Amino acid sequence: MTLSRRTFIKVGGAALSLPLLGSTAFGQEKLKIGFIYVGSINDNGYNYAHNQGRIFIQEQLGEQVETMFVENVAEGPDCERVLRELAQQGCKLIFATSFGFGDSVIKVAEEFPDIAFEHATGYMSGPNVGLYNARFHEGRAICGIIAGHMSQTGKAGYIGSFPIPEVVMGINSFTLAARKINPEFTLTPVYISTWNDPAKEADAARAMIDQGMDIIAQHTDGPAALQVAAERGIIGGFGQGADMSAFAPDTQLTAIIDNWGPHYLASAKAVLDGSWAPGNTWEGLKEEVVTMTPYHSKVPEAAVKDAEAMRLGQIDGSVAIFTGPIKDHTGVERVAAGVTMTDAELLSMDWYVEGVIPPA
Amino acid sequence: MDLTIAIIVTVVGASTPILIAALGELVVERAGVLNLGVEGMMLIGAVVGFIVQFHTGQPLLALLAAAVAGVLSSLIFGFLTLSLSANQTATGLALTIFGTGFSALIGANYSARPVPLMDSVLPETIADHPIARVLLGYSLPVYFAFFMVFAVWFFLKKTRSGLILRAVGENDHSAHSIGYSVLGVRYLAIMFGGAMAGIAGACFPLLLTPQWAEGMTAGRGWIAVALVVFASWRPMRLLFGAYLFGLVMTMEVYIKAGGGLFSAIPAELWAALPYLATIVVLVLISLKRDASTNAPACLGRPFMPGN
Amino acid sequence: MMQFRLEKRAEPSKFMLYATPIAAVALTMLVGVILFSAIGYNGFAAVGEIFLTPLTNPYKWQELGVKAAPLIIIGVGLSIAYRANVWNIGAEGQYIVGALAATWVALATHGQGGFWILPLMAVAGAIAGMAYAAIPAFLKTKLNVNEILTSLMLTYASVQLIFFLIRGPWKDPMGIGFPQSRRFDVAARLPNLTVENFGFLGDGALILKGLVERVHYGVPLAIFIALVVWFIMTRTVFGYRMRVVGAAPHAARYGGFSQNKTIWMAMLVSGGLAGLAGMLEVAGPFQRMVPGFATNYGFTAIIVAFLGRLNPLGVIFAGFVLAITFVGGQIAQTTMGLPDETTGIFQALMMFLLLAGDILIKYRIRRVQPDARVGAA
């Protein structure tokens, strides 16, 4: 990282002239884009993926844009302050990449009506606040198909952080898909109450494997579970957020990649040409916001065929995993045959489908 | 049977770093010093151990480097609290903040990289039988931890140096007046504690999960500090306590993954359990109140020679 | 060859007492220049961004106030406890429990409105903080259990209590299933200052436009509390007792001061203030309980208390210094790409240097000839 001349001038200027509006642009027309992350860009998962998206637009648009980011931003007053800081630095487009930033985004967006804000995974929009999200559950369904084919015990484990709708949705999508292949398939979620405790993730994976689960999936940041799967030599697991095959080359059957780049690029271009309007996008495989890494060579042909059918079906819209009949884990029908759950229903999902052995 | 064996193996893994770090802290506290920087030193040990393992693939070298890093970071604490008689509580906390930030900084470019785990001491074929697996199937730090429990016990109980160390912790002024170097003993104790914390930290990438992640010790340094009190400053009880903690932490995930009656216990209660259990044990030992369960008399008190 | 040794002062140096924290901050900046240069940044620019930018931009002052307020309130409480040699390091837990109690009041009165809700939340927060601090106090006075460990363990338990409550009974019915409480009613939100609050300045108040509107009432309250506590500690019998017990426990016992009573007072006051800070934070900037509510203010306040020399006035200064490092650290991330971790390293460094400087209060450094070095350490 090199220090730009700009920064030095800015600091010198700040000390001398008490600029009331933060740094003023020194005659440059670059579009400044700010990102705030809830965790570290080195988490190998969620925040890493967002930062890759930032790097992508910087590469694609080059001199036209200047990106900046702040990592490890806590929700609440810290987030509010950082949003204002980015606004005062001259950002005209700001991405707030975590659900918990919602209140702050709405508040600060009111103060800066000419700045475009985009909030990931949230639900509150405004005249200059757009929402965006990714259909990770589409990738989960592909993993579920592979798990249904390959699991010999018919039991999979799923390590989650907290039972938020996004995690629950992923669990359900995975299970629905797996049971299309193996109707006896069950999935046990274990919540470990933290996003970042690799040793605990690893122990949870060990506990699952020791109790007969031969496929492990996880919705926490990092490859710990996959590493344990490799160490124990079970059938396999899945990368989450990023390609984790480096950590478990013979165990990662495929990985779901968060690919925010295309969305970020589209928003940046829209701001550049003045066409930006607050949207509410929830994109997935079709828009390549969610992508899969190549299937491992040990995934059998039949599984690859069904997984591809699931992938292509979701891309062309012929397959929607959350289509009835869907029963919940107690056997009560929640979605009637032929009915597809709405986005709003999915985004607030707090029940488990049949086949999930629900946690407390 | 197989499940029991598997659980034991996981418990041993989970307990080992806590046990090693707590043994170091036990010696430090027996010398009359309270170092709350264990978590920070563990993180520094973890990142240094990881980096060395990543570049050399030599786990013994990685453990050694982690120990050295632990010693160096403990010397910051030692210099401030001993030579400059700074407040130990505050210095220890600052050391933890420092270790957290420093390890994240030097580990920033290592997060997306795997390392090989440390091999078990004996070839896998020997450890094939379940009983042999439970007894012989581990890598070096596990046996090191057991050995150190005995070594620390022997040192404190049976050697003259151990007696001096205890004397320094019980009554610094009289130890000083007999001619022992209170500060010298305490420096050595703090360095030992640093080395052990460093090794304990390195156990995370070498033994438990072969990666580097920021803050990957996730509060276990604090459990180690609590354990010393839990064990009422005795190595053998520490062994028991560390394994009890490891068992509680491990049973949580096994019960959740296995379903059944106890899986109805909320995740939050499980997570709070080790800490609440420590408080209960603190209460229990203080209820017993025989002389041997009491803390070293000089714990946390600065000592300035010549006053 | 010249040698140095430490010589005890007859009286603790007042000059050093106040000079060392300032020197620690200055030295931290100097070491920061070297450190950042060593890892490949422009060291001067980096330190400038962290320490000067937040100060040179008046718009940042209110951000500093918002960040400093909880640190000051908790730090003031801790400084009382530490003066009395009571080592409450669980302020984070007391802060959390205080906020939870306030949240409970806000949720229970949802839809009712009324001027009494905010004061009730404040009282609930303070009482909850006290109650949580009473556990270590009880265990310390009755069973002689180390308060450092019990207060810390309770902190970890309190974090889990947040998760439990917002995942279950307090989950926002409108929050699409995300574990957080509903947003508080207007009556349960701590308002921000307005220019009208400064009407006593006449037209002069207009100059404050844009400079106070983001400051909630907790900020002036924090400074007010610090001043009140300063008055109590220096001008009343209670304050005298707390200081004597800490400075000379034996003398205090002979003087008829009960040590147990002092422990209780110290824990209750520090716990109550931490609980109040929790209420102000949840009712002010957050306005709902969220999983990320706990942000280590209770631990950072320990640094604040020490940096402020356990003196409430010093704590105000120290609270702002720490706030500057947080705010400036994030500015440096946006302008220079300075890694986030440096903020923690910086704070630890400041603490190390401050603690190192403590020795100069009671001792002076003497240059001695080697042959004259008799009886030195």
Side-chain angles (χ1 to χ4, degrees), chain C residues 202-226:
Chain C
D203 285 348
L206 286 177
I207 205 172
L208 294 169
K209 195 157 172 56
L211 296 178
V212 297
E213 285 90 347
R214 279 180 228 136
V215 175
H216 59 80
Y217 275 80
V219 179
L221 187 64
I223 294 171
F224 176 73
I225 287 172

Side-chain angles (χ1 to χ4, degrees), chain B residues 208-293:
Chain B
L208 299 176
T209 162
Q211 53 164 311
W212 161 250
E214 284 177 20
M216 75 185 300
T217 54
R220 286 173 186 75
W222 290 106
I223 293 190
V225 174
L227 256 178
V228 176
V229 191
F230 183 105
S232 51
W233 294 271
R234 290 173 163 195
M236 292 302 176
R237 289 189 193 174
L238 195 63
L239 177 68
F240 168 75
Y243 274 80
L244 186 67
F245 268 68
L247 183 70
V248 171
M249 293 193 297
T250 305
M251 286 321 287
E252 174 190 353
V253 282
Y254 275 87
I255 287 171
K256 281 181 185 168
L261 191 61
F262 290 105
S263 65
I265 299 172
E268 295 84 3
L269 185 59
W270 275 114
L273 205 58
Y275 306 106
L276 297 176
T278 304
I279 296 176
V280 171
V281 170
L282 285 172
V283 171
L284 290 180
I285 46 177
S286 62
L287 284 175
K288 251 181 82 186
R289 218 179 256 274
D290 59 8
S292 63
T293 58

Side-chain angles (χ1 to χ4, degrees), chain C residues 49-356:
Chain C
E49 286 289 64
I50 295 173
F51 280 97
L52 298 180
T53 310
L55 286 174
T56 51
N57 183 339
Y59 279 96
K60 302 274 181 245
W61 295 348
Q62 42 191 344
E63 311 282 13
L64 292 179
V66 171
K67 187 79 190 174
L71 295 174
I72 292 171
I73 297 178
I74 306 171
V76 164
L78 291 180
S79 67
I80 296 174
Y82 296 168
R83 282 239 163 170
N85 257 338
V86 176
W87 296 102
N88 177 10
I89 64 169
E92 177 80 359
Q94 294 138 23
Y95 166 83
I96 289 169
V97 171
L100 287 174
T103 304
W104 179 69
V105 172
L107 297 179
T109 61
H110 185 76
Q112 293 191 24
F115 68 93
W116 47 273
I117 290 178
L118 273 173
L120 186 64
M121 285 167 71
V123 171
I127 290 179
M130 284 187 193
Y132 216 51
I135 301 171
F138 174 81
L139 295 175
K140 173 75 179 178
T141 52
K142 288 285 172 203
L143 302 169
N144 200 25
V145 180
N146 188 323
E147 75 277 16
I148 294 177
L149 295 161
T150 46
S151 60
L152 183 68
M153 296 298 122
L154 286 170
T155 296
Y156 285 106
S158 67
V159 176
Q160 297 302 324
L161 191 59
I162 299 182
F163 294 152
F164 177 75
L165 289 169
I166 58 179
R167 179 170 74 94
W170 290 358
K171 188 152 86 176
D172 180 4
M174 309 301 291
I176 65 165
F178 199 84
Q180 62 181 18
S181 84
R182 68 160 84 222
R183 185 138 185 247
F184 297 170
D185 276 344
V186 175
R189 295 182 205 160
L190 197 62
N192 284 2
L193 299 182
T194 60
V195 174
E196 283 75 48
N197 292 127
F198 297 88
F200 57 87
L201 292 174
D203 285 348
L206 286 177
I207 205 172
L208 294 169
K209 195 157 172 56
L211 296 178
V212 297
E213 285 90 347
R214 279 180 228 136
V215 175
H216 59 80
Y217 275 80
V219 179
L221 187 64
I223 294 171
F224 176 73
I225 287 172
L227 294 174
V228 168
V229 170
W230 172 79
F231 181 82
I232 293 172
M233 288 302 281
T234 51
R235 301 280 186 275
T236 67
V237 178
F238 169 80
Y240 176 69
R241 166 197 276 184
M242 300 302 268
R243 284 182 290 133
V244 167
V245 173
H250 292 290
R253 207 168 303 153
Y254 291 122
F257 290 155
S258 149
Q259 201 175 358
N260 279 356
K261 223 175 183 173
T262 311
I263 291 170
W264 271 104
M265 291 307 296
M267 287 305 283
L268 291 182
V269 170
S270 56
L273 283 175
L276 177 65
M279 172 271 169
L280 294 171
E281 199 67 6
V282 78
F286 280 92
Q287 305 184 345
R288 69 164 97 219
M289 182 52 72
V290 299
F293 178 77
T295 44
N296 288 344
Y297 278 136
F299 292 110
T300 310
I302 296 173
I303 302 184
V304 168
F306 276 92
L307 187 63
R309 283 275 170 251
L310 307 184
N311 175 325
L313 300 183
V315 166
I316 300 177
F317 162 81
F320 275 95
V321 170
L322 263 291
I324 288 171
T325 60
F326 280 114
V327 173
Q330 280 166 334
I331 294 175
Q333 279 190 61
T334 61
T335 57
M336 311 186 53
L338 200 70
D340 170 64
E341 296 79 26
T342 48
T343 307
I345 297 178
F346 237 57
Q347 290 169 350
L349 206 61
M350 191 151 50
M351 189 78 171
F352 285 149
L353 290 166
L354 175 86
L355 290 161

Side-chain angles (χ1 to χ4, degrees), chain A residues 277-299:
Chain A
N280 186 354
T281 61
W282 197 18
E283 296 165 335
L285 290 166
K286 185 178 161 206
E287 298 83 0
E288 297 188 343
V289 168
V290 176
T291 62
M292 308 300 290
T293 62
Y295 305 111
H296 193 279
S297 58
K298 74 180 184 184
V299 179

Side-chain angles (χ1 to χ4, degrees), chain A residues 40 42 44 72 188 190-193 196-200 202-204 206-208 210-211 213 223-224 227 231-232 246-247 360, chain B residues 3 6 10 14 108 111-114 117 204 208-211 213-214 216 218 220 252-254 256-258 263-265 267:
Chain A
S40 161
N42 297 315
N44 256 335
N72 288 322
T188 305
V190 167
Y191 294 111
I192 58 169
S193 299
N196 182 25
D197 185 344
K200 193 164 180 183
D203 280 349
R206 289 184 182 106
M208 290 167 163
D210 289 339
Q211 296 182 78
M213 298 162 204
Q227 287 181 315
E231 176 195 323
R232 293 290 176 94
F247 291 94
Chain B
L3 184 60
T10 307
S111 61
R113 300 167 183 207
L117 277 174
F204 284 82
L208 299 176
T209 162
Q211 53 164 311
E214 284 177 20
M216 75 185 300
R220 286 173 186 75
E252 174 190 353
V253 282
Y254 275 87
K256 281 181 185 168
S263 65
I265 299 172

Side-chain angles (χ1 to χ4, degrees), chain A residues 233-257:
Chain A
I234 60 162
I235 287 174
F238 302 95
Q240 155 65 17
D243 185 354
M244 296 175 174
S245 58
F247 291 94
D250 291 325
T251 310
Q252 178 181 293
L253 302 174
T254 182
I256 306 170
I257 307 287

